[in-house]
Amino acid sequence: MRRLAGHALALIAIAAVAIGGNAIAFFSAPGSGTASAAVTKLTAPTISATTPAIGGTMTVTWGATVAPGAGSVTYYVTRDGGEPAGSCPTKAAPTIVVTCKDTGLTVGEHSYTVTAVWETWSATSAVKKGKIEIGEAVKFTIAGSTTTPATGGAVNLTITAKDVNNKTVTTYTGQHLLIFAGADSSPGGNAPTVVSYTSSTSAVAFGTATTLNFSSGVSSVGSSKNGILKIYDAGPASVTATEGSITTPTPLALTVSPVASRFVLAAASATPALGEGDDLTITAFDAYGNVATGYAGSKNLVFSGATSSPGGNAPTATNSSGTAIAFGSTTAVQFSEGVAEAGEGDGGEIVVYKSGVSTIKAAEGSTVTTPTGVALTLATGALTKLGLSSSTATPTAGTGFNVTTTAQDVYGNTVTTYTGSKNITFSGASASPGALPTVVNSAGTVVNFGSPTALTFTSGVATPASSKNGFMKLALPGATSVSATDGTVSTATPLALTVAIGTASKLAVSELTASAGTISSTCYFTCAVTGLGNSGTVKAKIAITDSMGNVITSVGAAKSVTVTATAGGTIAGSPLSVPASGTAISGTQFTYTAQASGSFSNHTITAASSGYTSATVTVSK
């Protein structure tokens, strides 16, 4: 009975411990006798600090709790009755740490508890509160060095990380990958870019992650990198930056203005008629394909790309007052929002007189130019005249030179359909005392001026070759004008030439008289006197001439001319002297006296001097 009573007392003691909750006793086995038990508590931890930090973090620190027995005490944290974040242990995964950092906190006050866990026991601390003044970064603000950049101009960005209350999150530091948006590519395909932190030459297109470096919550430009923005599309832009959930509620508003750098020209007709107006539309663009809408008012342009016609008609462009200005001269043209239209009276109606392809350009100094001009093709007009050009403007009398004959329209453009053999009559040059002006035809025959000369035209041009097809010799020195006609059209502007006297080469008869009979109509290098009669006399002076019979001036040294006659006649006054200077004609005459009786025919008088072709006179009774 006593054993049973003792056993009952032991059971009562165990039950008492269980009811108490904070004490525990251990027994090795049921049995009789007496024993002692160690009963202790699992003490609740005390939170020593809840330390807030900028960026929405809270460091929670608590005191360690001694384990009641073998093993370690672990802990878990609650925040506002729920699970924390960051490095803080949770109920599902308690750890032995006595400090942790909670993250992702909103601005405001938060309540924390720490619960100690040992075996199946737990004890929870009192609530400790902490207040977050600056939360985590939830947005960016963006500022620019200018809000009105030119297309392609640099804008230095300043980007700041902000919390929900717009306070700078200074703990947002280091390199971050931001994606920019809010601007389009230009019409020329130039995408907007931001220079990254990694390199001043690393311009990253919008839509692609760009590395920027933040310091104390702010990213700013330095060393020509880390946020230099360039936009190439003109007009408004709203620039945003995003990193994950961090966005830009208020974009950076920019107005991007194009700066004129080039003209694009369009013509009302790509094939205008010669001498007829063609309206240009001139549009100013920037370097990126945007119309430079700010390019307005009167601008001084210089037009180029067309040349004067062969007839000397210079191309022109009208100014805004309607006055035709020659290409190459300043022309005032009126622009509105980057466009000038000749058809609206802004200026720019062009007139071209030269056939073929002309590529028209316009420029305002070196600032705005036309990289690619507008091509115009102008057809040749109808045949209206012949044009003459010479291989020399100062031919020498008796020396051949080339004269090219060209079929032309009213402006001097070559009429290429004028082909084949054409009979051209030349005129205008005069005969010398000893010769006529001549042209060699296409067959090589010498033809005097005034007679039709067959020339061969190829694509509107008769070109001399091999001393044929327009090889010309003029006879009389001095100024002359050569004209030509095919019987239907003629030269509108004669070919002006100045003919030089040739080299002394011949002797000529000068001032010949006969006592009786008839003197031949041509009496110069050769002469004929008929019906002179017995004892008749012939008198003459001797001149030194070029090959065409033009008397030389200043032969340089006095020349002696010997005059002889065949048997039956006599010569008096020989030799004759030609002076060194002045007109090269002898100062005295020779006298030929025919035989006194009997008939005679073709007696010859010869005047000779070394280095010159002799002159002769044939005498008959």
Side-chain angles (χ1 to χ4, degrees):
M1 290 293 294
R2 293 182 65 181
R3 287 182 178 176
L4 291 172
H7 196 69
L9 291 172
L11 292 173
I12 293 169
I14 292 170
V17 171
I19 294 170
N22 287 327
I24 186 166
F26 295 92
F27 299 89
S28 59
S32 62
T34 61
S36 63
V39 179
T40 184
K41 291 183 177 181
L42 179 63
T43 304
T46 300
I47 300 175
S48 60
T50 50
T51 306
I54 293 173
T57 66
M58 186 81 72
T59 299
V60 182
T61 305
W62 59 92
T65 296
V66 178
S72 299
V73 176
T74 58
Y75 308 92
Y76 67 86
V77 178
T78 65
R79 181 230 302 156
D80 300 330
E83 289 191 349
S87 64
C88 290
T90 63
K91 185 175 183 180
T95 66
I96 63 173
V97 299
V98 292
T99 185
C100 68
K101 181 180 286 188
D102 190 14
T103 60
L105 299 174
T106 59
V107 174
E109 193 171 66
H110 297 277
S111 298
Y112 289 90
T113 63
V114 176
T115 299
V117 177
W118 181 79
E119 296 292 342
T120 59
W121 288 7
S122 63
T124 302
S125 72
V127 172
K128 179 76 171 179
K129 294 183 177 182
K131 187 176 183 179
I132 298 296
E133 298 291 343
I134 300 177
E136 64 179 341
V138 296
K139 62 181 177 179
F140 293 124
T141 60
I142 304 181
S145 56
T146 177
T147 58
T148 56
T151 50
V155 179
N156 293 341
L157 296 180
T158 299
I159 304 172
T160 305
K162 299 282 189 177
D163 72 358
V164 68
N165 289 330
N166 209 37
K167 293 182 178 180
T168 300
V169 182
T170 57
T171 54
Y172 190 86
T173 60
Q175 295 182 25
H176 291 264
L177 292 174
L178 275 62
I179 295 176
F180 288 88
D184 296 324
S185 294
S186 73
N190 308 90
T193 61
V194 175
V195 177
S196 75
Y197 172 71
T198 57
S199 171
S200 61
T201 60
S202 178
V204 182
F206 274 34
T208 302
T210 305
T211 301
L212 294 184
N213 190 62
F214 284 78
S215 177
S216 298
V218 180
S219 170
S220 58
V221 173
S223 302
S224 300
K225 58 184 181 179
N226 205 51
I228 299 176
L229 167 70
K230 289 186 178 181
I231 298 176
Y232 303 93
D233 185 46
S238 297
V239 179
T240 62
T242 301
E243 184 187 33
S245 62
I246 306 176
T247 61
T248 311
T250 304
L252 172 62
L254 300 176
T255 301
V256 185
S257 301
V259 177
S261 65
R262 62 188 176 96
F263 290 127
V264 173
L265 277 58
S269 172
T271 57
L274 290 171
E276 297 294 329
D278 194 8
D279 288 345
L280 292 182
T281 297
I282 307 170
T283 305
F285 286 86
D286 69 3
Y288 311 107
N290 302 286
V291 175
T293 54
Y295 192 79
S298 183
K299 305 293 181 180
N300 288 325
L301 272 56
V302 175
F303 290 86
S304 62
T307 57
S308 295
S309 72
N313 308 91
T316 62
T318 58
N319 62 17
S320 53
S321 298
T323 303
I325 307 295
F327 273 35
S329 299
T330 300
T331 305
V333 176
Q334 187 74 23
F335 282 80
S336 176
E337 295 186 348
V339 181
E341 297 181 83
E344 298 296 323
D346 296 332
E349 180 191 58
I350 62 170
V351 180
V352 178
Y353 301 92
K354 187 178 186 300
S355 63
V357 176
S358 295
T359 302
I360 309 302
K361 295 184 177 183
E364 184 193 20
S366 61
T367 304
V368 189
T369 60
T370 308
T372 304
V374 59
L376 306 180
T377 302
L378 296 97
T380 305
L383 175 68
T384 60
K385 61 182 178 178
L386 298 177
L388 300 177
S389 61
S390 172
S391 58
T392 177
T394 56
T396 298
T399 299
F401 60 100
N402 292 328
V403 172
T404 300
T405 307
T406 304
Q408 297 177 338
D409 65 11
V410 66
Y411 302 115
N413 299 290
T414 301
V415 181
T416 57
T417 55
Y418 192 83
T419 60
S421 182
K422 306 291 182 180
N423 286 323
I424 307 299
T425 300
F426 291 89
S427 62
S430 300
S432 70
L436 293 172
T438 61
V439 179
V440 181
N441 67 15
S442 56
T445 303
V446 178
V447 180
N448 292 331
F449 269 38
S451 298
T453 304
L455 299 181
T456 299
F457 285 78
T458 302
S459 297
V461 181
T463 304
S466 303
S467 300
K468 300 177 183 179
N469 211 50
F471 187 72
M472 184 176 290
K473 287 184 180 180
L474 299 185
L476 187 68
T480 189
S481 296
V482 177
S483 297
T485 182
D486 69 353
T488 301
V489 294
S490 304
T491 49
T493 303
L495 175 62
L497 301 170
T498 301
V499 183
I501 193 169
T503 303
S505 62
K506 290 186 175 184
L507 298 181
V509 177
S510 178
E511 303 176 27
L512 185 142
T513 62
S515 60
T518 303
I519 302 171
S520 61
S521 60
T522 301
C523 184
Y524 204 60
F525 299 129
T526 61
C527 191
V529 178
T530 58
L532 179 62
N534 295 117
S535 300
T537 59
V538 174
K539 298 180 178 181
K541 294 181 178 181
I542 300 298
I544 298 176
T545 73
D546 64 10
S547 63
M548 307 302 283
N550 301 296
V551 178
I552 300 298
T553 300
S554 299
V555 292
K559 305 296 181 180
S560 177
V561 180
T562 301
V563 182
T564 60
T566 57
T570 60
I571 297 293
S574 177
L576 302 177
S577 178
V578 177
S581 61
T583 304
I585 299 176
S586 62
T588 59
Q589 295 179 321
F590 71 84
T591 300
Y592 165 82
T593 302
Q595 62 192 54
S597 62
S599 63
F600 58 90
S601 177
N602 295 327
H603 282 193
T604 301
I605 304 167
T606 302
S609 181
S610 177
Y612 304 110
T613 301
S614 299
T616 60
V617 180
T618 301
V619 181
S620 299
K621 183 177 178 181

